[in-house]
Amino acid sequence: MKIATVPRLLCLSLSLISVNAVAAPPPAPKLVLQITVDGLRGDLLDRYKHNFGDKGFRYLMDEGTYYTNAHYQHGNTETIVGHVSLATGAPPSVHGMVGNVWYDRQKERLVYNVEDGDYTMLTQGAGVNQSTEIDPTQKTAKLDGRSPVPILSTTFSDELAVASNGESKIFSVSVKDRGAISLAGHSGKAFWFSKAQSEFVTSNYYFDEYPEWVTAWNTEGYPARYSKQKWELSLERDKYTLKEGPQEHKVDLAGFKRTFPHPYGPSSFQYYSTMLTLSPAGDELTADFAAALMEQEKLGQGDFTDYLAVSFSSNDYVIHMYGPSSLETEDNLIRLDRTLANLLADVEKQVGLDNTLIVLSADHGVPEAAPTVNALGYKTAKYFNQDALINEQLVSRLNKEFGLDENAVRLYSQPYVYLNHEVIKAKGASLEAVQRVVAEEITKIKGIEQAVTSTDVMQNNLPNTRLMQLVKNNFHPQRSGDIYLVFTPRTYINDMDGLTIASTHGSPWRYDTHVPVIFAGYQIDAQKVSREITPYDIAPTLSNVLGITQPSGATGKVLKEINSNH
């Protein structure tokens, strides 16, 4: 019997097809969308989920891979620290952002994390309005210029730019400058909301002049849509999860009121733009601008994966003003859920959710307001008076042992006490000995859990505990202070530049380190994972999916559930 043979040319062709099929690069998402909700503690999504729709948070939680037990591994859980940790996959000991502000010993002043005198704002007068700014960290900045230069590690977005040789389009948007700049990295483009000008702005680090669409968006005057409007409850009062508790601790800033409704006032009001950021309006404006950016810059339409980071800031501001167990916080998240659904609908229309790798997380958690837990019987929750740190006993001991007075302590800036090295040296005293005395005396103060000297951190002279590891992970030798303060659980300083607020974050306790981490969209399975992870894992995992180099200082691990080989 004659056996049929395949022509030689056809064999060769089939062989080539087979080789090519094996060698072809794996498909990649057209867009990476990184969503950050400022101050979203890890339990809040599940707490308020029943009041969400199907297309926002629920889509991510139910159709994505939802990590319910993600914790930061650094002590100072502030905005810039968390955002840069998300971007770099590393703690502040690596990326250098030890706090929203720190004392620069060369400049001999406190510096704001992303201020940079080598660059200027593209919009004149778009920097900080010292007379109306309520964010004390931004008021610290002496210069209007902004850039990512102070970030000491590469970011995921930086490595994406390198991998595509600059072909990937990389953008980041937020109300907060530090929220946008951190995730854009050194190679992307960042826009943020200027409360001074009530528009989205940037610096000449990124552009010599605004793209035409940005000017057009700002010209439309979207923020003015809220003029003379009010932030009112979006549901009937009995639909909300928690009953309204004590309200005396809530903040009435410039007539915005402690309870609903919260009036924005006319657009001419000097605090008008600030009111927008203290409400769902801030997130709505951010999403509107991000949607316009996505369309105008044609994200997800090229040959390489593009990147868009959107950091929603209102949740953080609302919790500062009203606390996490308030009607305001729940209603803000309900409205953010709708805003998020609209943004995801825009992504679906332009790119397709199946073509978009989405990751949502937060930069830090938050504590309950002290009066809220006091009412539940937790008597030791309290607001701490910063003036108690430099007391008579401390000054007396400094004088007795070293001949020093209160000038030996330069300042306290969360979370560090900075000593005056020049004064101590002039007295011939040992810096290590002075650090130890100050730490010992401060630890005696009610409300202080630990006072850890930088000498003990550098000499690795710390007990092997979770708390001490988080303190160590926050230490950078050029930026950290002499003594790291840890307040007792549910104790914190609630003063924001003279404004008494309801709640603030910044501790190493679990309520401040706990955030959600959710991956959804492109090739992501629906599952809930309770294994403890860290948000540092996000940047390495994104890098692994795209097959690119991890950020230079990344310490996080690739999450095994987010498989790059589906």
Side-chain angles (χ1 to χ4, degrees):
M1 185 175 79
K2 187 175 182 180
I3 300 176
T5 58
V6 179
R8 182 182 179 87
L9 183 59
L10 181 56
C11 285
L12 181 59
S13 298
L14 290 172
S15 175
L16 287 173
I17 290 172
S18 177
V19 170
N20 287 339
V22 172
K30 295 181 178 295
L31 176 68
V32 171
L33 174 62
Q34 184 158 8
I35 299 166
T36 306
V37 182
D38 203 318
L40 184 64
R41 195 177 65 211
D43 64 306
L44 294 181
L45 287 181
D46 283 307
R47 176 193 281 186
Y48 298 133
K49 181 180 180 181
H50 62 285
N51 275 328
F52 296 153
D54 294 331
K55 304 297 185 180
F57 287 124
R58 277 181 179 267
Y59 161 74
L60 300 175
M61 298 166 75
D62 294 344
E63 299 189 37
T65 296
Y66 178 16
Y67 295 91
T68 60
N69 191 22
H71 287 268
Y72 282 104
Q73 296 174 357
H74 55 258
N76 188 24
T77 44
E78 290 189 314
T79 298
I80 190 62
V81 191
H83 273 82
V84 178
S85 295
L86 286 169
T88 63
S93 58
V94 176
H95 61 61
M97 309 305 266
V98 299
N100 281 339
V101 300
W102 60 82
Y103 184 77
D104 187 311
R105 295 194 182 276
Q106 290 184 325
K107 295 178 181 176
E108 297 185 333
R109 67 173 177 88
L110 287 172
V111 296
Y112 178 60
N113 52 84
V114 291
E115 71 172 291
D116 190 337
D118 291 335
Y119 300 95
T120 58
M121 304 294 288
L122 289 190
T123 300
Q124 188 173 2
V128 176
N129 183 335
Q130 293 288 336
S131 65
T132 58
E133 181 58 63
I134 65 167
D135 186 333
T137 63
Q138 289 188 322
K139 290 182 76 169
T140 300
K142 303 300 182 187
L143 309 165
D144 280 350
R146 300 286 185 270
S147 88
V149 170
I151 301 173
L152 305 180
S153 171
T154 68
T155 65
F156 164 76
S157 54
D158 291 332
E159 299 301 341
L160 180 62
V162 171
S164 67
N165 199 26
E167 293 295 321
S168 292
K169 298 175 182 177
I170 298 167
F171 290 93
S172 183
V173 181
S174 179
V175 156
K176 295 181 181 179
D177 50 10
R178 57 190 183 270
I181 290 170
S182 51
L183 290 162
H186 302 84
S187 304
K189 310 289 188 185
F191 295 98
W192 55 92
F193 186 71
S194 165
K195 284 175 275 190
Q197 293 296 320
S198 201
E199 63 184 35
F200 278 90
V201 299
T202 192
S203 79
N204 65 358
Y205 176 90
Y206 303 102
F207 294 96
D208 294 326
E209 58 183 10
Y210 286 111
E212 290 184 6
W213 70 264
V214 175
T215 302
W217 193 95
N218 283 328
T219 301
E220 286 290 330
Y222 290 103
R225 293 179 300 183
Y226 300 90
S227 182
K228 300 181 181 179
Q229 303 296 314
K230 297 176 181 179
W231 173 19
E232 303 189 71
L233 287 172
S234 54
L235 303 176
E236 295 296 324
R237 190 172 287 262
D238 62 0
K239 301 289 187 183
Y240 289 83
T241 306
L242 303 177
K243 293 181 180 179
E244 187 80 291
Q247 299 179 39
E248 295 77 15
H249 62 280
K250 292 184 174 183
V251 181
D252 180 3
L253 176 67
F256 202 50
K257 298 181 63 178
R258 285 189 172 89
T259 57
F260 282 100
H262 300 282
Y264 295 118
S267 57
S268 58
F269 181 41
Q270 63 174 342
Y271 283 100
Y272 175 76
S273 293
T274 298
M275 303 308 189
L276 299 183
T277 66
L278 303 182
S279 76
D283 289 340
E284 291 164 7
L285 291 169
T286 301
D288 284 350
F289 186 86
L293 186 158
M294 186 168 56
E295 179 182 2
Q296 295 298 323
E297 297 291 344
K298 297 180 171 53
L299 298 190
Q301 307 302 306
D303 294 331
F304 292 85
T305 301
D306 294 331
Y307 175 81
L308 174 62
V310 183
S311 179
F312 293 111
S313 304
S314 292
N315 182 69
D316 180 69
Y317 285 136
V318 169
I319 287 176
H320 279 308
M321 296 295 112
Y322 306 108
S325 291
S326 62
L327 288 176
E328 284 81 4
T329 292
E330 181 169 9
D331 194 69
N332 179 68
L333 287 174
I334 291 169
R335 291 178 181 270
L336 175 56
D337 176 62
R338 299 170 185 174
T339 297
L340 183 58
N342 291 335
L343 179 62
L344 293 178
D346 290 331
V347 172
E348 170 68 10
K349 180 179 178 181
Q350 178 160 325
V351 186
L353 292 175
D354 289 344
N355 297 320
T356 304
L357 179 56
I358 305 165
V359 59
L360 178 144
S361 190
D363 52 346
H364 54 75
V366 287
E368 295 294 335
T372 299
V373 290
N374 288 156
L376 300 173
Y378 195 102
K379 303 302 183 187
T380 57
K382 62 191 285 271
Y383 296 138
F384 186 88
N385 182 2
Q386 183 175 326
D387 294 339
L389 293 175
I390 311 303
N391 55 42
E392 184 177 331
Q393 290 79 9
L394 170 60
V395 174
S396 175
R397 189 172 171 192
L398 287 173
N399 182 262
K400 180 179 179 181
E401 295 191 23
F402 308 107
L404 295 166
D405 58 18
E406 64 271 12
N407 291 322
V409 181
R410 191 182 292 276
L411 55 87
Y412 171 76
S413 179
Q414 167 69 24
Y416 291 107
V417 173
Y418 289 85
L419 301 181
N420 192 323
H421 291 188
E422 292 75 19
V423 167
I424 294 170
K425 185 178 180 180
K427 283 289 186 179
S430 160
L431 177 61
E432 178 181 351
V434 176
Q435 287 177 349
R436 196 165 304 283
V437 164
V438 174
E440 287 174 0
E441 291 301 316
I442 288 180
T443 306
K444 297 175 184 177
I445 301 170
K446 185 177 181 180
I448 299 295
E449 179 82 10
Q450 297 276 351
V452 184
T453 70
S454 61
T455 298
D456 281 341
V457 174
M458 288 187 289
Q459 294 178 354
N460 203 26
N461 186 27
L462 299 174
N464 186 23
T465 64
R466 173 185 175 273
L467 188 63
M468 290 300 100
Q469 185 60 53
L470 269 60
V471 170
K472 183 178 177 181
N473 286 347
N474 214 90
F475 181 79
H476 190 277
Q478 278 75 53
R479 294 176 177 177
S480 294
D482 293 275
I483 299 145
Y484 188 111
L485 297 191
V486 179
F487 296 95
T488 54
R490 303 200 181 283
T491 297
Y492 49 87
I493 297 171
N494 70 323
D495 178 89
M496 279 179 59
D497 200 46
L499 181 68
T500 301
I501 56 175
S503 177
T504 194
H505 46 89
S507 83
W509 304 117
R510 289 283 187 172
Y511 49 73
D512 276 349
T513 63
H514 187 202
V515 297
V517 170
I518 309 175
F519 287 82
Y522 174 81
Q523 296 188 355
I524 300 299
D525 297 327
Q527 56 188 316
K528 184 177 283 190
V529 182
S530 61
R531 181 183 79 258
E532 183 167 350
I533 67 161
T534 172
Y536 306 159
D537 297 335
I538 291 174
T541 300
L542 291 175
S543 300
N544 187 60
V545 172
L546 269 62
I548 67 175
T549 301
Q550 295 185 17
S552 61
T555 62
K557 295 179 173 60
V558 173
L559 294 167
K560 62 183 180 181
E561 292 83 5
I562 312 303
N563 192 343
S564 62
N565 297 310
H566 274 58

